[in-house]
């Protein structure tokens, strides 16, 4: 680990006298303009001079003047990631860890700083909006948006390029030519799950949905309905993507339709809750009730008892894609007509629960 | 949820023409200076005028010019939280969620934005250092530092006020009058754990430590040694604060000293791993081996089988304290001589494992 020793120039605590660009130029024996060009990443400086300047920067502990630098370069090399979820969910649902890992690796590779901003409560929106407007980041990745989420409009208003994770659900999004989003094939994935249950001969297939103000939940429910167009509405229960929500929904379903023989849970965490309730109710999985999840979370699906048959989506890959699309947007041409979307495929992973 | 509609002033996508401070002043019927004072939070503007300006800001969708605003106010109302842990641990160890919850609540209450920056690899330090130097935050909270961590020096070098979570372990920290840190009474807590095991008549008490390049691990080991000054070194195994690390350490201990009758694990997660290994080895807890953890994590200690006797530290409270001390530092006088430290008490919570 690289350890930096206190430098004499750091000055007295509380009132550090910062070295100036002039002092860097003087020490390096170059003009102020040359020093400025090197410090601000401009081209056209000979390598030998560049090295002299960088050595002087290092020796003096010089840091470019902050806000002023941003005014010149208009680039922070930093991207905000805004997650509209309470930190209790962010930290307990491995989905987010996998998603953020993809984002942070891609940003790192492009030497961009990931700046994570959480939205816990309604009043946090204004503050986050202010930070996004404050010139601290070059762009934003927005995810876990709910249907009337103000974040995209906030970013747009201040001219901040952004990419959305998940199909946008707000009115007018379909015809918004400036919108870029990444999603997985939620509807197709749900169809895979139900098809698999039907191929096993199951006929009373229930579903536990995610929160129905999120498009991923709606799309998975649509996929379920595609294959069960005349399905019994009492076989549908709404969860909230947590294990506890899955438990509650499974209990409701068992009470309403004790004869059910299969469940498609729209997330692995909800499926894990459902498995617990089925076990407690004395139902054998998969013999009495077959269960299919959604996500294929690394730390969940292979560890439930029995292990979980589930629909795999490439969570880390979606994170990487979001980051890549945003970085391209920050440097490239304006996008063409209509929203740009990248839909990543899903596939069925068969384990023991179905 | 508050939904903002697209405003006409936002202009064409891709090239929004931003409203200026002049247009705000004109619309509000005030001078540019007055508008500027309101926008930058300055005092001395009559309430009626203030409201006119704010209404114009809202109507025009004006945002203060970014970096320029920072140059004037020198305040971003934002605080960086830098966590030197891979995101795999950050998201799987509930310690961090509880700690961040305390920090984010306290910052929120003071209308400050929490800006989370993760350090995953060595090369991330430079990028994070650049962001800290970039004028994007007013101060920083640094935690999970390892002994030769460059972050404090980086922050100091750019004159950024910071508060450290955990006793600093680097050379010279004891006499650094500019240092502020928050820690819990790790050594005293470890003594409580060992005393409790001794009071149960246990005589072959092992310990599983955290990574020994972190002061919290060292302090807990010192507490253990305080009560077992002539202890058998073979009863000490190093873990890494994860359940898997606890499992590995417990297996080593059982192999080296099968006759052990108690274990003090320096974290609840490691204790949960140890319980699993003991169960697999056919040892009854607490009859054959009594186990005490450390942390009292909400989602862990009360859920292990058997439930975990542990040393409680106020994790959320420490987060709040760190935030409060930093906010005070941003506005208040320079600290007095010697490092400022706040050590929060620990206490024993007795459940079934010991």
């Amino acid at each position: 680990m690289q350890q930096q020793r206190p430098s004499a120039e750091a000055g007295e605590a509380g009132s550090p006298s910062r070295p100036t660009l002039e002092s860097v130029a003087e020490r390096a024996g170059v003009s102020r303009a040359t020093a400025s060009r090197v410090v601000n990443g401009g081209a056209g400086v000979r390598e030998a001079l560049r090295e002299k300047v960088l050595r002087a920067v290092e020796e003096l502990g010089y840091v470019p003047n902050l806000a002023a630098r941003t005014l010149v370069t208009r680039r922070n090399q930093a991207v905000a990631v805004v997650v509209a979820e309470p930190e209790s969910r962010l930290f307990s649902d491995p989905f987010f860890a996998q998603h953020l890992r993809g984002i942070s690796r891609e940003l790192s590779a492009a030497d961009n700083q990931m700046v994570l901003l959480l939205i816990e409560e309604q009043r946090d929106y204004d503050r986050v909006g202010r930070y996004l407007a404050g010139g601290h980041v070059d762009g934003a990745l927005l995810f876990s948006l709910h249907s009337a989420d103000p974040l995209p409009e906030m970013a747009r208003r201040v001219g901040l390029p952004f990419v959305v994770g998940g199909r946008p659900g707000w009115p007018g999004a379909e015809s918004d030519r400036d919108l870029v989003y990444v999603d997985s094939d939620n509807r197709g994935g749900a169809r895979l799950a139900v098809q698999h249950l039907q191929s096993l001969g199951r006929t009373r297939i229930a579903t536990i949905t995610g929160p129905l103000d999120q498009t991923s939940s709606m799309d998975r429910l649509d996929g379920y309905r595609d294959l069960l167009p005349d399905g019994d509405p009492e076989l549908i229960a709404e969860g909230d993507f947590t294990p506890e929500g899955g438990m509650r929904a499974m209990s409701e379903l068992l009470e309403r339709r004790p004869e059910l023989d299969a469940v498609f849970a729209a997330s692995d965490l909800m499926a894990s809750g459902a498995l617990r309730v089925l076990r407690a109710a004395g139902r054998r999985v998969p013999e009495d009730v077959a269960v299919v999840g959604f996500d294929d979370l690394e730390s969940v699906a292979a560890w439930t008892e029995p292990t979980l048959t589930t629909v795999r989506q490439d969570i880390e890959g979606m994170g990487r894609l979001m980051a890549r699309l945003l970085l391209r947007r920050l440097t490239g041409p304006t996008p063409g007509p209509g929203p740009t979307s990248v839909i990543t495929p899903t596939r069925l992973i068969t384990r023991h629960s179905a």
Side-chain angles (χ1 to χ4, degrees), chain A residues 32 40 62 64-76:
Chain A
R32 191 185 177 288
N40 291 307
Y62 170 79
N65 181 335
L66 323 177
R69 176 179 175 174
T70 311
L71 284 173
V72 175
T73 64
R74 313 291 313 157
R75 279 285 278 142
N76 294 293

Side-chain angles (χ1 to χ4, degrees), chain A residues 14-338:
Chain A
S15 63
S17 66
R18 288 196 196 157
T20 61
L21 188 59
E22 284 72 19
S23 58
V24 169
E26 194 186 314
R27 188 170 191 123
V30 302
S31 71
R32 191 185 177 288
T34 299
S36 168
R37 224 169 313 144
V38 172
V39 164
N40 291 307
V45 178
R46 274 192 298 125
E47 192 51 32
L49 289 186
R50 216 178 91 81
E51 277 183 7
K52 274 189 190 166
V53 172
L54 292 178
R55 196 159 49 236
V57 162
E58 178 59 33
E59 287 165 1
L60 294 175
Y62 170 79
V63 283
N65 181 335
L66 323 177
R69 176 179 175 174
T70 311
L71 284 173
V72 175
T73 64
R74 313 291 313 157
R75 279 285 278 142
N76 294 293
Q77 294 280 107
V79 166
V81 175
V82 189
V83 189
E85 292 286 349
E87 111 276 292
S88 57
R89 233 203 106 207
L90 180 67
F91 283 94
S92 61
D93 188 337
F95 176 90
F96 296 107
Q98 282 177 235
H99 209 50
L100 288 174
R101 191 193 308 154
I103 291 172
S104 92
R105 289 198 176 154
E106 199 68 27
L107 291 179
S108 266
D111 201 25
N112 270 257
Q113 179 62 41
M114 176 171 87
V115 172
L116 195 54
L117 307 174
L118 311 186
I119 290 192
E120 177 103 10
E121 303 177 70
Q122 196 50 41
R123 62 169 181 169
D124 297 343
Y125 277 99
D126 282 344
R127 208 181 45 238
V128 166
R130 228 158 53 216
Y131 200 76
L132 294 180
H136 306 298
V137 292
D138 305 321
L141 300 173
L142 309 177
F143 61 88
S144 259
L145 299 179
H146 298 254
S147 46
D149 208 294
L151 280 169
E153 194 46 40
M154 284 175 161
R156 191 190 308 261
R157 209 159 172 172
V158 300
L160 192 72
F162 63 95
V163 170
V164 173
R167 182 174 71 79
W170 54 89
E174 304 74 27
S175 55
D176 183 347
R177 72 180 190 91
D178 198 38
L179 199 64
V180 179
Y181 72 89
V182 173
D183 203 355
S184 62
D185 182 9
N186 288 306
R187 188 163 182 164
R191 282 199 293 253
L192 291 177
V194 178
Q195 261 163 8
H196 179 66
L197 291 168
Q198 289 177 325
S199 76
L200 299 174
R202 306 296 162 127
T203 55
R204 293 178 299 277
I205 303 173
T207 188
I208 299 174
T209 74
L212 290 171
D213 67 337
Q214 295 192 330
T215 55
S216 58
S217 306
M218 295 188 260
D219 293 348
R220 290 171 203 174
L221 178 57
D222 283 343
Y224 166 87
R225 282 181 171 143
D226 286 344
L227 292 172
L228 297 163
D230 308 310
D232 174 1
E234 294 289 297
L235 283 170
I236 301 173
E238 186 173 348
D240 59 1
F241 285 144
T242 70
E244 295 73 26
M247 290 178 74
R248 277 191 300 273
M250 191 69 244
S251 303
E252 276 172 44
L253 289 169
L254 280 179
E255 200 170 299
R256 291 205 298 248
R257 291 292 182 262
E259 70 279 14
L260 60 84
D261 60 9
V263 182
F264 162 52
S267 83
D268 287 353
L269 288 182
M270 294 196 297
S272 75
L275 288 176
R276 221 172 301 165
V277 167
L278 289 167
R279 190 161 48 241
R283 308 293 178 103
R284 291 168 309 160
V285 176
E287 295 84 347
D288 303 328
V289 180
V291 177
V292 178
F294 201 106
D295 281 336
D296 198 28
L297 292 180
E298 285 165 5
S299 51
V300 178
W303 298 95
T304 54
E305 282 180 44
T307 57
L308 197 60
T309 292
T310 190
V311 178
R312 175 165 214 275
Q313 55 173 343
D314 183 5
I315 301 167
E316 184 174 334
M318 284 194 291
R320 282 183 180 272
L321 255 172
M322 284 179 72
R324 216 175 298 153
L325 286 168
L326 181 66
L327 293 172
R328 197 192 295 165
R329 213 169 190 201
L330 295 181
T331 50
T334 30

